Amino acid sequence: MSASADQPKVPRHVAVIMDGNGRWAEKRGRPRLFGHRAGAESLRAVLRACRDHGVEYLTVYAFSTENWVRPADEVSGLMSLLKTFLKKDEHELHENQVRLLATGRLQDLPDSVREELERVIAATRDYRKGNLILALSYGGRAEIADAVRAIAAKVRAGQLDPETIDEKSIAAHLYLPDVPDPDFLIRTSGELRLSNFLLWQLSYAEFYFTETLWPDFREAEFAEALAEYARRHRRYGAHA
Ligand code: FPP
């Protein structure tokens, strides 16, 4: 599709590093989990905004492979927040026909969380009006390492000729090979890093950084980010 001045472009896939929950809570003298709970509200708001703006895929960095070393009470608080989200918001996924997917080393999640996750993924698998992808126990290098291991196993089994390995076959061994690459990455809270998020998939994405802390990032802030994406495409889209 070509972009032109009167044709604002909406990204098909938005990826978000939801950063700043801890600082948001600390500023209010409250425990970090209070910030994560407010962050879950932002996720709900942004998911609705995706539907309103016509964004088909939303991937959020909900828990990284590095997050396991956080204090045990914060990790268990995040896990129970995730379970609550899966239980409380499932109806909204059904109402809006949003498919839930997950990416990451899901085998590392506590059984009760993984079972709930798998249940909602199965219950929403036929929906296509929107796609919510939770990155859980996710690391970009871990994902690439897992893909390399799977490819090496096929080579050893004589199912794959090493000479045929190319970008396409590597991408086919990532966790969610059928999901299109993100067009737009948003990171909140003023940090200017990728933090091991979707290293392969973000190769051509536009990046957007904002000082706003994630719990304060709601519909208006999301609309502002999309407007910036559209501006970049109006300027450069024709030459992309
Ligand atoms: C980063 O903020 C955020 C996380 C590590 C977790 C993100 C989780 C949520 C937004 C909870 C909702 C998710 C679901 C799926 C229900 P931080 O703690 O690193 O903040 P800081 O940098 O200010 O300390």
Side-chain angles (χ1 to χ4, degrees):
M1 191 176 118
S2 71
S4 69
D6 50 15
Q7 192 180 42
K9 195 157 167 163
V10 175
R12 186 175 182 209
H13 184 173
V14 176
V16 185
I17 301 177
M18 309 183 288
D19 200 5
N21 296 344
R23 275 163 286 167
W24 187 89
E26 276 155 30
K27 280 205 319 201
R28 288 159 178 78
R30 303 292 299 267
R32 295 175 59 82
L33 208 56
F34 182 70
H36 293 315
R37 258 187 235 115
E41 284 306 319
S42 289
L43 172 56
R44 293 181 176 103
V46 167
L47 182 60
R48 285 185 205 118
C50 281
R51 175 199 60 197
D52 296 343
H53 288 273
V55 173
E56 282 179 58
Y57 292 85
L58 174 68
T59 298
V60 292
Y61 210 177
F63 197 89
S64 73
T65 47
E66 289 80 21
N67 286 154
W68 290 111
V69 301
R70 290 198 178 193
D73 60 338
E74 187 177 352
V75 171
S76 66
L78 276 165
M79 290 300 140
S80 71
L81 195 58
L82 176 61
K83 260 201 286 187
T84 308
F85 178 82
L86 292 167
K87 282 191 209 303
K88 263 182 56 182
D89 292 64
E90 185 187 354
H91 73 96
E92 212 163 315
L93 300 178
H94 290 296
E95 277 159 29
N96 294 298
Q97 299 196 13
V98 172
R99 172 173 63 153
L100 182 73
L101 295 166
T103 184
R105 287 188 168 160
L106 307 181
Q107 66 273 22
D108 294 347
L109 296 171
D111 288 348
S112 63
V113 175
R114 208 188 54 250
E115 282 158 17
E116 192 61 21
L117 183 68
E118 284 168 357
R119 189 186 63 71
V120 181
I121 288 172
T124 61
R125 65 186 307 155
D126 294 328
Y127 298 146
R128 289 296 182 277
K129 285 220 169 130
N131 300 270
L132 172 62
I133 302 163
L134 301 178
L136 293 164
S137 193
Y138 178 85
R141 289 184 175 183
E143 180 178 27
I144 292 168
D146 288 349
V148 170
R149 198 177 313 107
I151 290 169
K154 285 188 185 171
V155 169
R156 188 174 55 188
Q159 296 163 350
L160 190 67
D161 174 1
E163 292 303 318
T164 67
I165 297 171
D166 58 8
E167 290 184 19
K168 224 172 127 188
S169 57
I170 293 172
H173 288 84
L174 297 174
Y175 296 141
L176 295 174
D178 298 328
V179 170
D181 287 344
D183 309 289
F184 196 38
L185 170 78
I186 297 172
R187 181 167 191 158
T188 57
S189 91
E191 306 292 343
L192 308 178
R193 292 187 297 278
L194 204 44
S195 298
N196 204 15
F197 192 39
L198 301 174
L199 296 180
W200 179 279
Q201 297 89 337
L202 288 168
S203 293
Y204 297 100
E206 292 283 341
F207 286 14
Y208 178 86
F209 297 103
T210 171
E211 293 287 328
T212 305
L213 303 176
W214 177 249
D216 290 326
F217 192 93
R218 300 287 165 98
E219 287 90 341
E221 289 72 21
F222 187 68
E224 204 177 306
L226 290 189
E228 168 64 19
Y229 180 86
R231 273 196 294 277
R232 289 186 203 175
H233 271 271
R234 274 205 285 270
R235 256 183 286 143
Y236 307 117
H239 309 291

